[in-house]
Amino acid sequence: MADATLRIGELARRSGVSADLLRAWERRYALLEPSRSPGGYRLYSADDEARVRSMQAHLAQGLSAAEAARLARDVPAAAPQDGGPADLAGALWSALDRFDDAGAQAAFDRLVATFSFEAVAATAILPYLRTLGDRWRDGGASVAQEHFATGVLRARLLGLARGWDRGAGPRALLACPSGERHDLGLIILGLALRERGWRVTFLGADTPIETLAAAADQLAPDVVVLSSLAREPLHASVTGIARMAASRPVLLAGPGADAELAGRSGARLLAGSPIEAADEVSA
């Protein structure tokens, strides 16, 4: 192991990953191997920094946090070049964790100015949301942090979505069922569909199934997509989903959707990330 000389604040500054997130990675994935100073402080080494940067690079490729940590532990990687996608993503994550709205806005601006939307989603947004969810469940992130981060990201993503119903392509009608208030994944799916030439009509979170069905009757979309993080909101709407699926294609997305629910309702299951789901819709 290389000489351990870095306090966690310095490691956070050098890597662009917040100290809270570094502690979560250490606790949950054993990514870091600190030693103790004579005064009892944790000290981190160049090997620890290399593993952090390796994990950032693997997350930027769309891997889950657990898989990224496993690969980073097995094969420490060289640090990515400054200004690369992992560096910019780390700056966004760190700002969101610090409640730094101006910093988060600036980091987001740099990302969207430098990379395609799908690269930004895969590099910065989806990995951060997965990690934030893990930290929230483990007590490593507060409700306030989750609300702040999702609020900032939702506003910026909807800013990118302006005019996503223009054009002459097929139309997708997107909503989350009653009781599901988390729609970031659905917004990312809609933006990915827009990149593939679709027109998007977005009803958002907590949409009653009757409201969605009425909009579908009016718009006659090519597909209706219902997304939910939890299973119960979809389960509670299964009868209405089945009525809608009898007359038009209905797709179920998100972690709350499964093959059993799709089979019961006559809908089609979309698996994988929002980007993968957009590929499947467009196939």
Side-chain angles (χ1 to χ4, degrees):
M1 179 177 177
D3 290 343
T5 60
L6 302 176
R7 296 276 293 274
I8 195 165
E10 176 64 8
L11 180 58
R13 186 190 68 78
R14 290 170 62 154
S15 65
V17 178
S18 73
D20 285 344
L21 186 51
L22 289 172
R23 292 188 187 98
W25 286 354
E26 179 181 334
R27 181 180 67 253
R28 187 174 181 84
Y29 304 116
L31 183 71
L32 307 176
E33 299 175 357
S35 62
R36 291 280 185 177
S37 73
Y41 294 108
R42 277 183 166 84
L43 294 178
Y44 298 85
S45 69
D47 288 344
D48 289 315
E49 183 178 356
R51 283 191 290 273
V52 170
R53 293 190 179 276
S54 178
M55 182 154 179
Q56 289 176 292
H58 290 308
L59 288 171
Q61 296 168 4
L63 298 181
S64 69
E67 181 66 4
R70 185 186 69 77
L71 292 173
R73 288 195 309 267
D74 290 347
V75 185
Q81 295 296 313
D82 288 345
D87 286 314
L88 296 185
L92 175 64
W93 300 354
S94 180
L96 290 171
D97 282 351
R98 297 194 312 270
F99 298 95
D100 179 3
D101 183 76
Q105 301 291 350
F108 194 97
D109 287 341
R110 291 179 65 198
L111 280 163
V112 297
T114 308
F115 304 105
S116 69
F117 164 72
E118 290 188 21
V120 173
T123 298
I125 302 172
L126 291 171
Y128 179 79
L129 292 174
R130 285 193 294 267
T131 306
L132 181 64
D134 290 343
R135 290 164 55 207
W136 184 83
R137 283 190 294 273
D138 291 347
S142 67
V143 173
Q145 282 178 310
E146 191 270 341
H147 281 208
F148 174 79
T150 56
V152 169
L153 292 174
R154 188 177 189 276
R156 292 308 305 262
L157 289 171
L158 287 177
L160 296 178
R162 290 173 185 161
W164 60 357
D165 64 338
R166 297 176 187 150
R171 182 183 297 275
L173 177 61
L174 311 183
C176 296
S178 290
E180 179 54 72
R181 300 181 183 277
H182 298 86
D183 58 6
L184 278 175
L186 189 63
I187 297 170
I188 293 171
L189 171 59
L191 287 166
L193 286 174
R194 195 263 303 275
E195 295 286 309
R196 290 156 176 76
W198 286 70
R199 292 176 293 156
V200 175
T201 300
F202 180 73
L203 302 188
D206 201 18
T207 302
I209 195 67
E210 297 82 6
T211 300
L212 178 61
D217 288 340
Q218 180 177 345
L219 295 171
D222 295 271
V223 296
V224 175
V225 181
L226 268 171
S227 177
S228 184
L229 288 181
R231 188 177 189 274
E232 179 53 34
L234 289 172
H235 178 78
S237 301
V238 68
T239 301
I241 295 170
R243 282 198 296 266
M244 200 163 30
S247 59
R248 58 178 43 88
V250 177
L251 313 178
L252 304 183
D258 57 39
E260 189 270 336
L261 267 173
R264 285 176 55 204
S265 63
R268 181 174 136 211
L269 179 65
L270 292 175
S273 72
I275 305 299
E276 293 167 331
D279 284 333
E280 189 173 344
V281 173
S282 303

